[in-house]
Each structure stands twice: as C-alpha cells, then as structure tokens.
Amino acid sequence: MIKNDLGRKIMFVLLALLIIVTAIIIIVRRIDLKEEEGPRVVREVPGEIRTVTLFFANSNADGLLSETRDITSEGGLENEVKQVIAALLAGPEDKKGVSAIPVGTEINRVFRVEDKETVYLDFNRALVSNHTGGSAGEYYTIKMILKTIEVNFPQVAKVQFIVAGYPVNTIAGHYKVDTPLSVRKWR
Amino acid sequence: MDNKNISNRYKMLFAGILVVAAVFLAVHPCRAQIIAKENEEVKTLGVVFADGRKTEDISLFKIESDSDELFISAYDLARIFKATKYWKPGRKRLVVKIAAKKYIFTLDTRVVMIENQPVLLRMPVRYSDGFVMIPLEFIRDILAKSRVEKVDFDEKRLVLTIGAPSYNVTGIIFDESIEGTRAVLTLTDELLYHVDNEIPGLLRLKIYGGKLNTLKISATEGKGLFKRVRAEQTEYDSYLFFEVEQSASSFRVEFMGPADEDSGGRKLVIFLEKGELPEIPDADFAGRKMVEILQASAGEYRKIEVKRIIIDPGHGGPDYGRISESGVEEKQVNLEISEMLKRMLIERLGVEVVLTRRTDKLVPLDQRGEIANVQNGDIFISIHCNGWFKPEAGGFETFFLAPARNEEESHQAAHENSSIRFENPGLDPEKLDELNFILWDMVQNEFINESSKLAELIQKSLDDRVSIRNRGVRQAGFRVLRGLKMPAVLVEVAFLSNPREEKLLLDNRFRKKVCEGIVEAVRRFREKDMIVEGR
C-alpha cells in the first residue's frame, strides 16, 4: 500500500509537471510568436496598410532622401494624401534627413475640384510666416511635397498650394506658386 | 500487489513518455528557430526605382534545404512595390495588393490567388524567423510577366527595376562615315543643351532638364572619332562626356528630324569631322544654334549690345529674405552687393545701370520685371543670398528661368494672362492687342539661350575667383524672372545660414571678388558674337 501510494504520488507529481510544462510551452510559444512578428511584420490591423515613401532633403540642400511609413488605406485619395502630408510635416526619422517645411506648419484640408488630377493642399499660415527664407529652403519646401505626391499618387498630375484658404504668389519670395504646379515637371 | 505494481509501472512509464513528449515539444520551437536563424541572407537583390527613390539592396534568403530557390520577405516585397498588405490570421493568409491587383498567399502552400485565379508556385510560401517569405519566382515569373507594374527583372545580376523610367534622353548610337563620326542621341523632347571642349580631347554636353540611364549610355561603345562616352546624371540635368580622337577637327551639334515617327521625339546629333580639333573660342554657347556658330562663313552675326543693365537686389522692406543666426538680413546684403556691382559695372564697362530698388523698401516681384522692361534693359541680374536649415550647406549658384515648354503649360500661361489683362485694364493698349498678346512665361523663352549662356559665364567666372562650393547652373521657376524681355539670371551668392559664408558675405573683399566675377562674365557675354533668334 505504501509503495502504491508512493507510485500514485510520483504519477501525480509527473502529471502536474506535465501540465505545468505544457502550459509554459504554450505561453512561451505565444510570446515567441508575438516577438517574431515584431514591428516589421504584417500586423493584424483592421483596414489595409499601405507603405508610402516620403522625401526629405539632405543636409547639403542638394538632393532628396527617402523614408517609408505605413498609412491606413481608406477614405479615398484625399484622406491618403492628407495622411502622407501629415507624415511629412512630422519630419524625418533618419538624422540625415532635413525637413524644409517650416515649424508649426499644419495641413488643414486636402481636396479636389472638377479637375480630378489636381490636388489642393490647404496649409495654415505657418507655411509662409514661419519660413526662414533662402531660395534653397523654399525650393525644397515645394520639392519635398511634390516628389512625395508624385511617387505615391501617380493619378495626381498637379498640386495647388493654398495658405489659410487662399492661393499665394510665393512661399518665401522666390518661386511662383499661385497656379497648380506639375508634380513631374516643376523645378 | 504484483499486479498493482505492474499497472503502476505502466502508468509511470506512460507518464514518463508524456514528459518526454512534452520536453520534445518544448524543445521543438527552439529547434525551428535555430533552423530559421540559419536562413541567413545569401544574396542581395538590387532594386532600382524609376520614381526617384534611392536604389536599395534587399536581402534574399535560402529557406528550403533541398532547393536553391531564393525568398524575399513579404515586408520588403510590399515596401518596394508600395503595395497594400493585410494579414488574415485565422486562415494564415496574406493579401498583397500591387497596382490594384490582389495577390493572396497562404502559408505553407504553393498556391497564389491572383484576382481569384489560382496559380501554382514551385515552392511554398513560408513563415520563417518572423517573416512571411515569398519565393522570388513570384517576382520573376508572375510580376515581371504580368505587366501590371512595369517591372524589369535581371536574373543574372539580380537587379529589379520598378516603374516606368521617365527618361527623356533615351539612347545613343554612333555611326561612321568618310568625313567623320556621328553620335545620335534620342530625346523625347527638344531640350536645351550646352557644349564645350574646355578640356582638350573631351567634349562636354550638358542637357538641361535631361534624365538618362547612365549605365545604359555609358555602356555604349565608342566608334570612329568617339573613343568613349560617359554619362552622368544630377538631380536636374544630364551630362555626357565624349572622349574624342586627336584627329577630330571640328564638331557641330544640331537637332535633326524626329527620332521616331510614332513617339515624335527628337534626334540630337553631334558630328565630329576629321583633322585637328581646333581651339574653339569658348564654344559654350547654349542652345540649338551651335551649328551656325561653328560654321564661321554661314549665318548672320551680330554683337549683343549691352548698354543698360538692370540689377535686382532681392527682397526688401517687410520682406527680409533670409535672416542669419546672428541677425544679418539678406535684403541688406543683397542691396549692398548690388550697389557695389553697379559702381563696378559703370567704372569698368561703361554701361548704364538701373537698380529695381535703391532703398530698403518692398517692390513686388511683378513690378521689378516691369521696371526692367520699361527701362529697356539689355541684361537682368537678380542678386540674392541663400539659406538652409542646416549650417553645412554652402556655395554659389546661378539660375535662369525654366521655360514653359509644352502646349499644356502655354495654354495655362495664356489663361493666366487673360486674367492679368482683366486685372490690369490700364495696361498699354498695344500689349492688349490679341496679335501682340504676350504670354509672360513665353517671353523669357525667347531669351533662354542667352540667359543660360550668361548664367554659365557667371558661374565659371565666380568659380575662378571664390573658394566656396560651385553648385552649378540651374533652371528654376523664379517669379521675378518671368516676363522679362531680356536675358535674365538670378545669382545666389552664398549661404547666410552657413557661418563661414555669412562672414564672407559681410567681408568687402569677398563681395569685391563676386562683383568682379559678374562684371567679367558680362564683359565676356558682351564680346561674344552670337546669332540671336527672333530679334
């Protein structure tokens, strides 16, 4: 009887061990899977994720650098453009990149009128009033936005800059921006 | 007792087996991970984007031990194709949308659903080391052949080109005859160009606004008098460097006929003749009339008369332009340099000079052009200082106006001008005449060759005198240069945002060098014989 009890105890211990080990395995594997998925892998997010390319200037003001971001692909072209511009305004992640968009600039709205190939970008006054000047600075303010639109939205041919509801002649006194600019040909 | 003992032993054995199984299970994922970690990157895929994104190297992996098939992670795949992707966890499915076409992959199977049509891959899609891995054959056999996206896959070199290349300089061929050798460039558009042979044995062709595939052009073998061609691409322009034989005597450059009847492009021909290559007097004429200049006997010549020069000190009044860290205002520096330039031009060249502003006041950009036109200037030079967000950017550059060239843009210009007419009823009635109707953007087009020539001369002349970086000649849509009825350039002297250059800009010796450089460029511009179109 004593031996039997001992056997039962051993078996009970073994079974308990088995349950604990199995539980640990399940938990560990779940954690593993989560870790494996990491930030770079497709995440389980409702809606579609779209990877977009943003363009910033380099520190010498003689070229563009690209970075990628994920946006949610919903709400039509206007919404996607707005998300992309907002991501541009947030600035580069890479230290080599330089944002040529003035501090405090916000995008109020993005819309199209009859001409579906032209996108109107309505910024707040900071785009003009906070601009620190210099033609290189102004050139890349415009170029960063046009290049980003060109690459991510092939259906858009032109961009019209609007500041607080109205078109402006120039952003910082050099480049003509009072009419829509061709995203592919502007310079 | 014995029976019970035996049954207990079985139970213990059974439990033991369970424990072993559990331990095996526990170890198994680790093993899987070890295997996965062995899926080291074996090769890299070079990805070239036609849309201007930087060329990338993407890791490729070998996953299956019994196959050499390479795999690309779904993350990279979606990123390079700018695809939309989402994951259906329950069914282990990954949906990737490339150019409006839906591709559905299921883990550990070889089936890809393309717009609900199943296609079999040779290898299954795997989940490994944290990534969904897709066999490269998906790109090679499905994407590259479907023509949904313009994809070119070079399997030998492992180079993937994505997107429609927007090249406007599309090809080059050489052909030889008794008289010499021709290099024929195919262009989609009649672009502005500039040729020089400042370095003996080397012809440099700059194509403004050119975009070309440097590899393709540079890989073309020379023939006859052309030993070799090398192409370079900058953000704005293309350069072609031709190494020529000593026996070449002269060259001419001209546009000839349509490149291709369907596409309607243009052929730019560089013709090299045999004999000694003469010293061509600064053959830095920009534009398509090169031919007449070199054929000395043909064509009409006239000296460009430069009697009155308009200098435009940038910004002014409430428009400060750039303000440096230490508070130096661009408008003031522009005005001071302009005044020094004025004195020097009058003293050394004996010309008349008009400033668009002489004090610290705001003159609207359109009004500056009007002043220049009303004053009948022969040259317009706008003086500016540059500015950037980081202190490291520096150098000088000279701009001329990017022309409105295509029909669409000239329509737009016409539309704009009609509104200008209504806004300005007091305008000279002659200007309102439909026949004389001025397309403001097109006006400067007429002077584009001279403007680019003046810009090149200024840039070269400054390069000889100052030690800061030469940022080159560029075309841009400066508002102040629009509508000018004379050759017009804008000089960005140096960067106020660069501490070293800020000091230089405040230093009279530097300013003097800059002004001397511009005066010298104007002198050389004036001395040139050139044929001027439409005047």
Side-chain angles (χ1 to χ4, degrees), chain B residues 70-346:
Chain B
L70 295 165
F71 285 71
I72 180 170
S73 78
Y75 169 80
D76 282 332
L77 181 83
R79 200 168 49 85
I80 60 178
F81 283 100
K82 288 190 286 169
T84 307
K85 59 186 187 287
Y86 56 96
W87 177 239
K88 290 185 171 168
R91 301 162 82 177
K92 291 188 165 182
R93 278 187 178 169
L94 176 74
V95 184
V96 179
K97 215 158 95 186
I98 300 172
K101 225 176 189 180
K102 224 182 231 180
Y103 302 88
I104 305 172
F105 301 93
T106 310
L107 276 194
D108 300 321
T109 70
R110 293 160 51 210
V111 186
V112 191
M113 299 294 288
I114 306 172
E115 298 286 300
N116 300 325
Q117 289 292 316
V119 173
L120 266 192
L121 296 168
R122 281 182 300 152
M123 301 301 291
V125 173
R126 295 292 193 203
Y127 180 80
S128 165
D129 201 14
F131 294 100
V132 176
M133 296 297 226
I134 292 167
L136 199 60
E137 61 172 306
F138 172 69
I139 293 179
R140 182 182 59 223
D141 298 335
I142 297 176
L143 282 184
K145 286 172 186 164
S146 72
R147 297 185 182 188
V148 170
E149 271 270 308
K150 282 174 184 150
V151 176
D152 180 54
F153 184 60
D154 181 341
E155 203 178 349
K156 268 189 195 158
R157 288 163 56 218
L158 278 178
V159 174
L160 178 69
T161 312
I162 299 174
S166 54
Y167 299 130
N168 53 16
V169 180
T170 50
I172 186 167
I173 50 162
F174 294 102
D175 68 57
E176 226 182 332
S177 69
I178 308 162
E179 302 98 64
T181 316
R182 296 194 320 160
V184 183
L185 280 163
T186 354
L187 275 67
T188 57
D189 204 358
E190 195 164 309
L191 298 167
L192 196 67
Y193 62 82
H194 174 101
V195 189
D196 68 52
N197 72 323
E198 278 172 15
I199 300 159
L202 193 74
L203 273 185
R204 189 184 76 134
L205 173 69
K206 175 178 181 179
I207 302 174
Y208 289 101
K211 281 254 182 315
L212 51 73
N213 180 343
T214 50
L215 284 178
K216 187 181 161 192
I217 301 278
S218 300
T220 313
E221 276 187 37
K223 212 183 208 181
L225 298 172
F226 289 99
K227 283 198 278 194
R228 198 181 305 161
V229 60
R230 185 166 54 84
E232 274 180 25
Q233 181 67 50
T234 66
E235 194 186 338
Y236 317 100
D237 311 303
S238 302
Y239 292 87
L240 286 120
F241 300 89
F242 297 96
E243 269 182 51
V244 300
E245 290 286 352
Q246 289 292 321
S247 56
S249 72
S250 60
F251 66 90
R252 57 198 160 91
V253 187
E254 62 185 313
F255 273 107
M256 284 171 81
D260 179 346
E261 280 180 17
D262 300 332
S263 66
R266 299 280 283 155
K267 271 185 204 154
L268 181 63
V269 181
I270 302 130
F271 191 76
L272 268 190
E273 281 166 34
K274 282 189 179 145
E276 285 294 309
L277 192 65
E279 226 181 273
I280 287 154
D282 290 325
D284 52 358
F285 187 88
R288 60 186 90 118
K289 287 287 178 178
M290 191 77 202
V291 142
E292 283 93 335
I293 288 183
L294 294 171
Q295 290 172 337
S297 56
E300 263 178 63
Y301 286 85
R302 62 174 217 85
K303 268 201 155 55
I304 296 177
E305 279 192 274
V306 180
K307 286 184 178 165
R308 184 172 289 171
I309 295 171
I310 313 293
I311 301 175
D312 172 48
H315 309 283
D319 175 10
Y320 288 81
R322 176 78 191 197
I323 301 171
S324 79
E325 284 290 308
S326 61
V328 179
E329 294 163 4
E330 185 197 339
K331 58 174 186 176
Q332 190 56 29
V333 179
N334 292 344
L335 187 59
E336 286 168 16
I337 293 178
S338 297
E339 280 166 346
M340 182 188 269
L341 179 62
K342 177 184 173 178
R343 284 195 301 276
M344 220 182 266
L345 280 168
I346 293 171

Side-chain angles (χ1 to χ4, degrees), chain A residues 96-114:
Chain A
K96 288 180 200 153
V98 177
S99 172
I101 298 174
V103 189
T105 304
E106 283 167 21
I107 177 91
N108 292 335
R109 60 198 177 120
V110 173
F111 62 95
R112 286 182 289 178
V113 280
E114 308 102 75

Side-chain angles (χ1 to χ4, degrees), chain A residues 1 3-5 7-8 10-11 14-15 17-18 21-22 25 29 32-33 35-45 47-53 55 57-66 68 70 73 95-103 117 131-141 143 147 150-154 157-158 169-170 172-182 184-187, chain B residues 1 4-5 8 11-12 15-16 18-19 22-23 25-30 33 50-54 56 73-76 78-79 82-87 89 94 97 102 127 129-132 166 208-211 235-237 315 319 321-323 330 365-366 384-394 397 399 402-403 405-406 408-409 412 416 441 469 471 474-480 482 490 492 495:
Chain A
M1 279 302 280
K3 269 187 184 173
N4 204 358
D5 271 358
R8 271 191 189 168
I10 289 171
M11 206 176 79
L14 282 175
L15 273 172
L17 201 70
L18 177 72
V21 167
T22 314
I25 290 163
R29 290 193 74 176
D32 269 5
L33 270 176
E35 278 177 359
E36 278 170 20
E37 287 195 3
R40 279 170 52 121
V41 190
V42 265
R43 267 161 282 174
E44 298 168 21
V45 173
E48 298 183 357
I49 297 169
R50 190 177 156 197
T51 306
V52 293
T53 310
F55 288 87
N58 66 14
S59 58
N60 280 325
D62 57 6
L64 295 166
L65 301 170
S66 64
T68 53
D70 282 354
S73 177
K95 279 180 187 160
K96 288 180 200 153
V98 177
S99 172
I101 298 174
V103 189
E117 290 190 337
H131 206 289
T132 49
S135 85
E138 186 178 359
Y139 175 84
Y140 281 103
T141 308
K143 190 69 185 176
K147 189 75 191 175
E150 178 196 347
V151 165
N152 297 296
F153 304 99
K158 286 178 183 175
N169 277 336
T170 71
H174 305 94
Y175 292 95
K176 170 181 141 43
V177 295
D178 53 355
T179 51
L181 308 175
S182 160
R184 275 169 275 278
K185 290 184 184 155
W186 183 86
R187 58 182 165 172
Chain B
M1 277 291 277
K4 270 188 181 172
N5 251 346
N8 269 343
K11 277 179 188 166
M12 279 169 74
L18 276 177
V19 169
V23 168
L25 272 173
V27 168
H28 183 76
C30 301
Q33 265 191 330
D51 62 20
R53 279 187 281 168
K54 226 174 164 186
E56 275 190 62
S73 78
Y75 169 80
D76 282 332
R79 200 168 49 85
K82 288 190 286 169
T84 307
K85 59 186 187 287
Y86 56 96
W87 177 239
L94 176 74
K97 215 158 95 186
K102 224 182 231 180
Y127 180 80
D129 201 14
F131 294 100
V132 176
S166 54
Y208 289 101
K211 281 254 182 315
E235 194 186 338
Y236 317 100
D237 311 303
H315 309 283
D319 175 10
R322 176 78 191 197
I323 301 171
E330 185 197 339
L365 294 173
D366 288 343
H384 281 253
C385 300
N386 221 330
W388 186 238
F389 298 86
K390 298 269 171 177
E392 50 260 50
E397 54 196 331
F399 292 87
R405 34 174 99 254
N406 64 32
E408 181 198 5
E409 281 165 36
Q412 190 194 318
E416 273 173 48
D441 277 358
R469 184 180 161 200
R471 296 171 71 91
R474 282 169 51 190
Q475 281 182 282
F478 282 104
R479 186 160 175 109
V480 72
R482 286 177 70 223
L490 186 147
E492 292 281 355
F495 278 69

Side-chain angles (χ1 to χ4, degrees), chain A residues 116-187:
Chain A
K116 292 294 172 202
E117 290 190 337
T118 304
V119 165
Y120 290 72
L121 304 178
D122 189 356
F123 293 95
N124 66 351
R125 290 241 21 115
L127 180 72
V128 171
S129 56
N130 288 1
H131 206 289
T132 49
S135 85
E138 186 178 359
Y139 175 84
Y140 281 103
T141 308
I142 300 168
K143 190 69 185 176
M144 273 172 54
I145 292 170
L146 295 188
K147 189 75 191 175
T148 302
I149 300 274
E150 178 196 347
V151 165
N152 297 296
F153 304 99
Q155 63 272 50
V156 176
K158 286 178 183 175
V159 165
Q160 168 76 61
F161 283 84
I162 293 178
V163 176
Y166 294 96
V168 288
N169 277 336
T170 71
I171 292 171
H174 305 94
Y175 292 95
K176 170 181 141 43
V177 295
D178 53 355
T179 51
L181 308 175
S182 160
V183 292
R184 275 169 275 278
K185 290 184 184 155
W186 183 86
R187 58 182 165 172

